[in-house]
Amino acid sequence: MASFTVKSLRQIFKVLTDAPGFDRVMSKGKVVCELRVEEEHTNRGGTLHGGLTATLVDIVSTTAIMCSERGAPGVSVDMNITYMNPAKIGEDVLITAQVLKEGKSLAFASVDLFNKSTGKVIAQGRHTKHLGNS
């Protein structure tokens, strides 16, 4: 099993953000990515599972925080998600995360999930992370 330290994760993100082609998806404190909804991503109703949506908010906001000034992943303090519209199998979801504020010990991020073809908001999330005291 691979073991990553914060230092090695910072190096990986530095390589990704410095590499050509990634500048459109990752920038300082912001991440944009996509997910095509497949059957394994859905609930019994055939739409994007709420638990997966929460996981996406967690992971993508953490990535945005790691691409910010401090570059630390932090520990979750609070996370909330508002679900507004379903995403069905075969639909593409555009996910954008942005760091709203990064202080001495806390970082605040927002995440929006949109239906790529219609522009409808699928869900919005907020994530607060404790970064430590440095």
Side-chain angles (χ1 to χ4, degrees), residues 66-127:
M66 289 186 71
C67 291
S68 66
E69 198 66 36
R70 296 256 312 262
V75 177
S76 294
V77 174
D78 180 59
M79 187 171 71
N80 68 69
I81 297 99
T82 302
Y83 302 92
M84 295 178 228
N85 287 293
K88 299 175 185 161
I89 294 173
E91 293 181 340
D92 291 319
V93 178
L94 181 64
I95 308 158
T96 61
Q98 183 169 346
V99 176
L100 301 172
K101 180 182 178 189
E102 192 172 48
K104 290 181 181 178
S105 61
L106 293 175
F108 304 87
S110 67
V111 181
D112 296 308
L113 291 84
F114 296 96
N115 181 307
K116 189 176 177 183
S117 63
T118 67
K120 281 188 174 182
V121 179
I122 296 165
Q124 290 184 320
R126 294 283 178 127
H127 197 180

Side-chain angles (χ1 to χ4, degrees), residues 10-112:
R10 283 183 186 154
Q11 290 171 337
I12 291 168
F13 282 108
K14 180 163 177 39
V15 168
L16 287 176
T17 56
D18 290 345
F22 281 95
D23 55 343
R24 292 173 299 226
V25 237
M26 296 172 75
S27 60
K28 192 165 250 136
K30 186 172 182 179
V31 174
V32 179
C33 53
E34 291 182 28
L35 170 77
R36 175 162 287 150
V37 179
E38 304 290 348
E39 187 174 355
E40 63 265 20
H41 304 140
T42 61
N43 54 28
R44 290 183 183 203
T47 62
L48 184 63
H49 194 287
L52 179 58
T53 302
T55 300
L56 289 168
V57 168
D58 184 10
I59 292 170
V60 179
S61 63
T62 299
T63 304
I65 290 168
M66 289 186 71
C67 291
S68 66
E69 198 66 36
R70 296 256 312 262
V75 177
S76 294
V77 174
D78 180 59
M79 187 171 71
N80 68 69
I81 297 99
T82 302
Y83 302 92
M84 295 178 228
N85 287 293
K88 299 175 185 161
I89 294 173
E91 293 181 340
D92 291 319
V93 178
L94 181 64
I95 308 158
T96 61
Q98 183 169 346
V99 176
L100 301 172
K101 180 182 178 189
E102 192 172 48
K104 290 181 181 178
S105 61
L106 293 175
F108 304 87
S110 67
V111 181
D112 296 308

